[in-house]
Amino acid sequence: QVQLLESGGGLVQAGDSLRLSCVASGGTFYNYVMAWFRQAPGKGREYVAAVRWTGGSTDYADSVKGRFTVSRDRAKGTMYLQMNSLNPEDTAIYYCGAKYGGTYYGDYEYWGRGTQVIVSS
């Protein structure tokens, strides 16, 4: 059974950086797509960034392009999200998701429970 566990959230000030981690277990994840999503208070879940587990190619939402970097360490079974130049609009619960193959978008099969990020102005 695939399990995803996020960590690294917290309270930071505008302009600060933060790195989130998502530990994946229960599978080899060959040909999987792993992604970060976020959900701000009162809003729907928003796609942030994704990485192909095998090849390492990445994709980003326009709102985070140039500020966030997604990566993965296959040996550690962990995906990361390095977030720089944070602003209050980045405040949200951040979730990691996983699915087998396909595009970066669409329906993800597995989800973590999320980690809270709060950016104060």
Side-chain angles (χ1 to χ4, degrees):
Q1 180 72 9
V2 172
Q3 292 187 323
L4 305 173
L5 181 63
E6 305 94 335
S7 64
L11 172 63
V12 297
Q13 293 186 331
D16 284 352
S17 297
L18 205 58
R19 189 176 81 156
L20 306 183
S21 300
C22 172
V23 177
S25 61
T28 62
F29 302 104
Y30 175 79
N31 212 32
Y32 268 64
V33 179
M34 311 284 282
W36 289 98
F37 289 77
R38 66 186 180 184
Q39 187 165 15
K43 296 187 177 180
R45 190 170 293 188
E46 174 192 18
Y47 171 85
V48 175
V51 60
R52 292 194 182 277
W53 193 257
T54 304
S57 60
T58 58
D59 184 73
Y60 297 91
D62 288 343
S63 59
V64 306
K65 204 170 290 185
R67 298 188 300 124
F68 291 10
T69 302
V70 62
S71 62
R72 90 280 187 254
D73 185 327
R74 292 169 60 184
K76 294 183 178 180
T78 303
M79 176 176 64
Y80 302 98
L81 185 68
Q82 177 67 42
M83 305 186 294
N84 298 330
S85 302
L86 285 162
N87 59 63
E89 289 70 38
D90 296 315
T91 294
I93 299 174
Y94 284 71
Y95 299 90
C96 65
K99 67 186 186 81
Y100 181 78
T103 70
Y104 295 114
Y105 314 109
D107 294 330
Y108 278 70
E109 300 167 72
Y110 305 101
W111 293 95
R113 293 187 176 184
T115 185
Q116 175 80 61
V117 173
I118 300 173
V119 184
S120 65
S121 58

